[in-house]
Amino acid sequence: MIRRPRRVVPAVLLALTVLALCVVAVISLTGRLVGRSELVSYDALAGRLHGAHWSDGIVLGAGMAIAAAGLVLLLIAVLPGRPVVVALDELGDSPAGIARRSLRADLRRAAVSVHGVESPRVRLGDKKIRVSARTGRAETAGLDTAMREAVTGALDRIAPARRATVRTRLRSHRRGES
């Protein structure tokens, strides 16, 4: 079973929007009940809505915006997100996995273990793992290969169920020095 991320951000945004609308409605209605000024005038809002026709541009625009927002929220809810856990090769009958964050950290540690490699960044894809790093050396001939071998060796030890190809990119921040 692959654990998928929860959809916290869209749910929080939708909840905050609904909460804000409810707060505005309560403040406006409370102001109307006690005889003070309303935040949003019920009479002005009702007058605008009663005067609007289905063919008006603002009604069509608002309807399309609400439909688009609903479609986006529906797609966010239905489409699967990136897995939180990467499956490992099974040992016997027990399935195992590693968190993507832990896998990234292990591969970053393997890359930085190569002498001369600084601040590696690891991007995990389904079929490719991209490792980019910097070096203080002007000549990077064998360093890129050594970093790729170190990351590949770490992947061999971790043994993910789906094997991804490792792509490395090394940049020197010293140019022309020996």
Side-chain angles (χ1 to χ4, degrees):
M1 180 175 182
I2 297 176
R3 207 175 114 211
R4 300 276 180 186
R6 293 179 294 166
R7 305 299 185 165
V8 175
V9 173
V12 167
L13 289 176
L14 183 61
L16 288 175
T17 303
V18 171
L19 178 66
L21 290 173
C22 290
V23 166
V24 167
V26 166
I27 290 173
S28 294
L29 291 175
T30 304
R32 185 178 177 94
L33 287 174
V34 296
R36 293 194 181 155
S37 65
E38 301 172 43
L39 186 61
V40 176
S41 173
Y42 173 77
D43 294 329
L45 186 62
R48 280 190 186 168
L49 290 177
H50 287 295
H53 298 286
W54 287 109
S55 60
D56 289 346
I58 190 134
V59 174
L60 291 174
M64 289 189 327
I66 290 171
L71 184 62
V72 166
L73 288 173
L74 183 66
L75 286 174
I76 288 172
V78 171
L79 295 177
R82 285 194 160 270
V84 175
V85 176
V86 175
L88 299 177
D89 280 338
E90 292 185 15
L91 298 172
D93 291 337
S94 60
I98 184 171
R100 290 177 66 85
R101 173 183 272 176
S102 297
L103 179 59
R104 244 189 329 267
D106 287 346
L107 297 179
R108 194 177 304 120
R109 256 186 303 236
V112 84
S113 70
V114 176
H115 183 70
V117 173
E118 301 168 1
S119 60
R121 289 182 59 199
V122 178
R123 292 188 197 120
L124 299 176
D126 291 335
K127 297 180 182 179
K128 292 180 193 170
I129 296 174
R130 292 183 180 95
V131 182
S132 59
R134 295 184 327 196
T135 182
R137 298 180 184 177
E139 192 61 39
T140 62
L143 201 56
D144 191 39
T145 307
M147 183 173 69
R148 185 179 306 110
E149 288 174 358
V151 172
T152 304
L155 266 179
D156 290 339
R157 285 190 302 278
I158 296 170
R162 274 197 223 161
R163 187 57 192 241
T165 59
V166 177
R167 305 276 169 127
T168 57
R169 188 167 134 195
L170 193 62
R171 288 188 180 176
S172 175
H173 54 86
R174 288 188 189 176
R175 306 264 178 190
E177 294 178 20
S178 301

